[in-house]
């Protein structure tokens, strides 16, 4: 039976042995973190993917990874990359991507990870802003950029482009390199949240490293852990909570390149993943598959398992022991998650019922919260003392306060801590507007903090709907009520003004039905005659949920979408904000 470790160790204590010897700052730089863990765990698995012949495993140990990193860094420096210059990288999750990322620091440079899902023209705009000395890109886009006239060199993350392949670049020179300090910019992450003009978030070495270790004050991480980098690694969430967290303790990273179920199941099983970080969409789909398998065994078996899940949860909350791993071993093995130690959800709020179900099944499941501008983690549910309705407690050295509270105590969440960004790249006015006069970072998120210090989120300030009755409605809270309804592939809530009225907004749901719903009602999306069938089926689901909502939260208008709305790489809908 797995037990929850009630005693949280100090994740930074081991650094004291090396302070003043291997690093001199308040925090080591990213380069120094990697150096330290190569020294401690040279033979540990570091970077793994399953892109070998017939899907076989490729693994670099920490010592092997450092050799490739130093070789590439020397090549960068010999080819004009100097302290403070930019190195850009865009590609699928891979060991090669990781080597470029770290080699930039070993060359004294700043890394600019770019979303591989962007259109080429959008990528060009970001490159024109960043002005990198070199750009490493994956094979699907390599030819496009290689053939263009650019001010930077273009190199490949794929072995198929042998002449410029990252692992084949080397030099006979021994260039002088000025290594970064903790206050130097480590990474510029281009983000627009879910809409708007992309901004370059400047994160220092201190930002990234402090965030990585302080997050561990709410959760133990070990050198024996295996992290799964499934979500795009350019994103702050995966970059810090998977990639940097893993190398901070000498753990292994398994790189996933697609959310295709068969590939994901293979990587979970053969990678023996212990740390799975994902977004609500991933965990909802995984849980739906598990529960479907249980339901297929019949009502009697389903009833027994649901009873045991409830019992498991009660035992866990009362005794801090986790019986689910034993009770549901066969269920977890079938889902290829029996090796999981902890699952963490970020990138958006998760329905409490989903959070609870994983804990019932024996998975220590927690939620976290943060923004790109905060490196990103600023709150995390302690594994040993979680609250399913919360996104977590503040990390050590992180302070929260709520400003501009309404009558219910809900206001904008503001934060201070060593992981707060240095600012937006070449945007001093936008940077200043993001901080209060007394130096607190404004998150733009609305919520409140309970008496135990746990953060409760209501929604984004710019999404808030104000009804005719003066009530504040948060679309995210309504959308969360639909998370377990698989027949609605997308539901996005927004305010609208009814015809002839201007006193306040009512609630509209933009819905893209799943293929399963369309097939269940015997409809064809392309046939106008079938529109009513689809609308009625969607309306029935919304009516069911409306009964559980407060009167002023209820949806009064349904718009059926013919195409899904565009999504970010963390699977959030790109909202169109009201002016």
């Amino acid at each position: 039976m797995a037990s929850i470790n009630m005693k949280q160790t100090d994740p930074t204590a081991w650094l004291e042995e090396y302070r003043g010897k291997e690093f001199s700052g308040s925090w080591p730089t990213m380069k120094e973190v990697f150096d330290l863990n190569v020294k401690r765990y040279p033979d540990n698995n570091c970077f793994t993917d399953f892109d070998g012949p017939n899907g076989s495993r490729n693994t670099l140990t920490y010592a092997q990874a450092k050799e490739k990193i130093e070789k590439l860094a020397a090549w960068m420096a010999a080819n004009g990359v100097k302290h403070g210059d930019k190195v850009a990288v865009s590609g699928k999750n891979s060991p090669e991507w990781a080597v470029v990322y770290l080699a930039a620091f070993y060359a004294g440079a700043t890394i600019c990870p770019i979303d591989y899902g962007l259109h080429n023209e959008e990528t060009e705009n970001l490159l024109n802003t960043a002005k990198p000395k070199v750009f490493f890109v994956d094979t699907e886009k390599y030819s496009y950029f290689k053939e263009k006239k650019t001010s930077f060199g273009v190199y490949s993350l794929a072995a198929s482009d042998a002449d410029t392949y990252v692992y084949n670049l080397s030099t006979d020179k021994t260039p002088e390199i000025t290594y970064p300090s903790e206050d130097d910019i480590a990474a510029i992450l281009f983000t627009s949240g879910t809409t708007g003009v992309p901004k370059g978030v400047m994160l220092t070495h201190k930002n990234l490293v402090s965030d990585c270790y302080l997050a561990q004050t709410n959760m133990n991480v070990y050198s024996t852990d295996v992290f799964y980098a499934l979500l795009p690694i350019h994103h702050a969430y995966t970059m810090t909570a998977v990639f940097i967290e893993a190398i901070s303790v000498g753990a292994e990273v398994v790189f996933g390149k697609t959310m295709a179920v068969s590939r994901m199941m293979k990587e979970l099983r053969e990678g023996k993943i212990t740390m799975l970080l994902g977004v609500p969409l991933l965990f909802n789909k995984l849980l739906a598959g598990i529960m479907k398998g249980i339901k297929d065994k019949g009502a009697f078996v389903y009833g027994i398992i649901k009873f045991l899940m409830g019992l498991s949860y009660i035992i866990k909350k009362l005794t801090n022991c986790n019986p689910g791993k034993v009770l549901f071993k066969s269920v977890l093995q079938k889902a290829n998650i029996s090796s999981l130690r902890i699952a963490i959800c970020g990138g958006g709020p998760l329905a409490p019922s989903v959070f609870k179900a994983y804990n019932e099944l024996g998975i220590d499941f927690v939620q976290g919260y943060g923004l790109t501008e905060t490196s990103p983690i600023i709150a995390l549910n302690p594994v040993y003392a979680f609250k399913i309705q919360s996104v977590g407690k503040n990390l050590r050295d992180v302070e929260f306060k709520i400003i501009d509270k309404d009558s219910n105590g809900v206001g904008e969440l503001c934060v201070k801590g060593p992981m707060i960004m240095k600012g937006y790249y070449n945007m001093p006015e936008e940077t200043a507007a993001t901080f209060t006069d007394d130096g607190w970072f404004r998150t733009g998120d609305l919520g409140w903090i309970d008496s135990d210090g746990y953060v409760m989120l209501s929604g984004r300030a710019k999404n808030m709907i104000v009804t005719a009755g003066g009530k504040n409605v948060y679309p995210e809270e309504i959308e969360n009520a639909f998370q377990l309804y698989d027949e609605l592939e997308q539901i996005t809530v927004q305010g609208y003004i009814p015809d002839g009225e201007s006193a306040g907004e009512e609630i509209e749901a933009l819905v893209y039905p799943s293929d399963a719903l369309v097939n269940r009602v015997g409809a064809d999306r392309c046939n106008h005659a079938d529109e009513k069938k689809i609308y009625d089926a969607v309306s029935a689901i919304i009516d069911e949920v409306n009964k559980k909502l407060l009167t002023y939260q209820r949806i009064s208008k349904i718009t059926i979408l013919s195409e899904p709305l565009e999504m970010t790489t963390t699977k959030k809908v790109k909202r169109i904000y009201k002016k």
Side-chain angles (χ1 to χ4, degrees):
M1 181 181 296
S3 63
I4 300 174
N5 184 356
M6 285 294 289
K7 185 177 181 181
Q8 190 68 27
T9 57
D10 180 356
T12 63
W14 70 271
L15 289 172
E16 297 309 314
E17 179 186 343
Y18 300 95
R19 189 180 300 278
K21 302 170 188 174
E22 304 290 339
F23 69 96
S24 57
S26 58
W27 293 94
T29 64
M30 287 289 297
K31 174 188 179 296
E32 290 164 343
V33 165
F34 197 74
D35 280 341
L36 287 173
N37 284 293
V38 172
K39 180 173 286 190
R40 297 166 80 206
Y41 307 107
D43 299 323
N44 274 18
N45 288 348
C46 184
F47 301 143
T48 293
D49 68 12
F50 286 89
D51 275 1
N54 301 314
S56 60
R57 168 191 280 263
N58 287 320
T59 296
L60 294 175
T61 66
Y62 271 77
Q64 289 169 337
K66 184 177 179 180
E67 184 179 335
K68 290 185 180 296
I69 290 163
E70 289 185 325
K71 175 185 166 189
L72 180 60
W75 175 88
M76 287 181 182
N79 283 271
V81 175
K82 300 184 297 295
H83 181 269
D85 283 342
K86 316 296 189 305
V87 172
V89 60
S90 185
K92 299 182 290 293
N93 295 359
S94 67
E96 288 88 346
W97 190 102
V99 165
V100 170
Y101 184 97
L102 291 171
F105 306 143
Y106 278 71
T110 295
I111 192 70
C112 297
I114 294 176
D115 183 354
Y116 197 54
L118 295 177
H119 297 301
N120 289 337
E121 294 75 16
E122 295 172 301
T123 300
E124 286 182 78
N125 288 336
L126 297 187
L127 291 169
N128 290 336
T129 300
K131 296 181 171 57
K133 279 290 181 68
V134 287
F135 177 41
F136 293 85
V137 65
D138 229 328
T139 188
E140 293 87 354
K141 299 186 177 185
Y142 172 74
S143 295
Y144 176 87
F145 287 98
K146 188 65 177 174
E147 291 167 7
K148 292 188 75 70
K149 185 176 180 180
T150 63
S151 60
F152 48 82
V154 177
Y155 304 91
S156 180
L157 297 176
S160 54
D161 306 306
D163 291 346
T164 58
Y165 177 44
V166 57
Y167 288 171
N168 292 342
L169 302 174
S170 63
T171 181
D172 295 329
K173 300 177 184 177
T174 307
E176 288 189 14
I177 297 174
T178 302
Y179 295 125
S181 67
E182 64 176 334
D183 292 318
D184 284 337
I185 304 300
I188 299 176
L189 305 187
F190 288 97
T191 176
S192 58
T194 50
T195 189
V197 177
K199 297 174 181 176
V201 176
M202 298 187 293
L203 300 176
T204 66
H205 287 264
K206 180 191 290 184
N207 290 156
L208 295 174
V209 174
S210 67
D211 194 46
C212 151
Y213 284 117
L214 292 175
Q216 294 173 38
T217 60
N218 285 11
M219 177 185 65
N220 287 327
V221 182
Y222 306 107
S223 61
T224 51
D225 275 317
V226 182
F227 286 75
Y228 190 26
L230 178 61
L231 298 173
I233 199 169
H234 76 275
H235 192 276
Y237 175 40
T238 312
M239 188 184 74
T240 297
V242 178
F243 177 55
I244 298 175
E245 286 289 355
I247 64 175
S248 78
V249 296
E252 181 180 6
V253 183
V254 171
F255 294 95
K257 293 179 171 58
T258 173
M259 286 180 68
V261 174
S262 59
R263 173 77 180 242
M264 188 172 72
M265 289 297 105
K266 169 187 169 66
E267 290 168 345
L268 282 169
R269 180 178 64 254
E270 296 184 17
K272 295 181 170 54
I273 306 300
T274 67
M275 304 289 289
L276 176 61
L277 288 83
V279 292
L281 179 66
L282 171 65
F283 288 115
N284 290 338
K285 287 185 176 296
L286 189 57
L287 181 63
I290 291 171
M291 298 313 294
K292 182 180 183 301
I294 294 172
K295 286 179 181 178
D296 288 347
K297 295 180 183 295
F300 180 71
V301 172
Y302 179 74
I304 291 174
I305 290 180
K306 284 293 289 180
F307 169 77
L308 290 174
M309 286 172 66
L311 181 63
S312 169
Y313 186 77
I314 292 170
I315 293 171
K316 181 174 183 177
K317 290 294 284 183
L318 292 177
T319 69
N320 295 307
C321 291
N322 191 349
K325 270 283 182 74
V326 174
L327 287 173
F328 307 112
K329 183 177 180 181
S330 62
V331 173
L332 298 176
Q333 284 178 332
K334 189 171 182 181
N336 293 313
I337 56 174
S338 60
S339 62
L340 279 192
R341 194 170 66 79
I342 297 175
I344 303 174
C345 186
L350 185 73
S353 55
V354 177
F355 191 129
K356 185 178 180 182
Y358 279 101
N359 278 289
E360 289 174 336
L361 288 166
I363 302 295
D364 287 339
F365 195 98
V366 297
Q367 287 198 85
Y369 164 69
L371 302 92
T372 301
E373 291 88 341
T374 62
S375 300
I377 312 164
I378 46 177
L380 192 65
N381 258 293
V383 171
Y384 52 87
F386 61 88
K387 291 190 178 184
I388 63 173
Q389 68 273 34
S390 170
V391 292
K393 292 187 73 170
N394 60 301
L395 308 182
R396 195 183 85 197
D397 298 345
V398 174
E399 298 176 80
F400 284 137
K401 75 172 181 177
I402 304 293
I403 64 171
D404 303 329
K405 296 180 184 178
D406 65 14
S407 57
N408 295 317
V410 174
E412 184 178 3
L413 186 67
C414 296
V415 63
K416 277 187 177 180
M419 64 288 297
I420 306 302
M421 68 170 182
K422 196 163 188 174
Y424 295 118
Y425 184 57
N426 291 339
M427 288 181 155
E429 292 181 6
E430 288 82 352
T431 299
T434 312
F435 290 86
T436 63
D437 292 340
D438 54 352
W440 290 77
F441 174 73
R442 305 182 65 139
T443 67
D445 285 319
L446 298 172
W448 53 284
I449 300 170
D450 75 5
S451 57
D452 296 320
Y454 286 77
V455 178
M456 311 291 176
L457 291 184
S458 300
R460 293 291 290 172
K462 56 188 174 183
N463 295 350
M464 189 174 71
I465 300 164
V466 181
T467 69
K471 295 288 188 181
N472 294 340
V473 178
Y474 308 105
E476 295 89 346
E477 292 183 341
I478 301 173
E479 292 161 1
N480 290 347
F482 290 90
Q483 281 198 19
L484 297 184
Y485 288 84
D486 294 339
E487 289 192 325
L488 305 187
E489 185 168 317
Q490 279 185 358
I491 179 162
T492 303
V493 170
Q494 63 183 22
Y496 77 99
I497 304 294
D499 291 341
E501 298 183 28
S502 59
E505 297 175 287
E506 292 190 13
I507 315 300
E508 176 183 15
L510 308 178
V511 178
Y512 183 72
S514 70
D515 291 341
L517 181 145
V518 174
N519 293 337
R520 175 171 65 81
V521 299
D524 181 345
R525 290 186 198 270
C526 300
N527 187 346
H528 291 304
D530 287 345
E531 288 176 356
K532 187 175 186 309
K533 288 183 187 177
I534 296 172
Y535 181 90
D536 288 347
V538 169
S539 182
I541 293 172
I542 287 178
D543 286 346
E544 184 179 327
V545 173
N546 264 345
K547 292 173 185 175
K548 303 171 188 175
L549 298 173
L550 297 172
T551 304
Y552 61 85
Q553 293 179 312
R554 289 175 183 167
I555 294 165
S556 59
K557 180 180 179 182
I558 302 170
T559 299
I560 306 297
L561 303 172
S562 58
E563 298 286 342
L565 295 172
E566 187 178 356
M567 301 184 82
T568 69
T569 49
T570 52
K571 306 304 178 185
K572 290 187 287 188
V573 165
K574 291 190 175 182
R575 296 180 187 271
I576 300 173
Y577 292 109
K578 297 167 288 185
K579 302 292 186 186

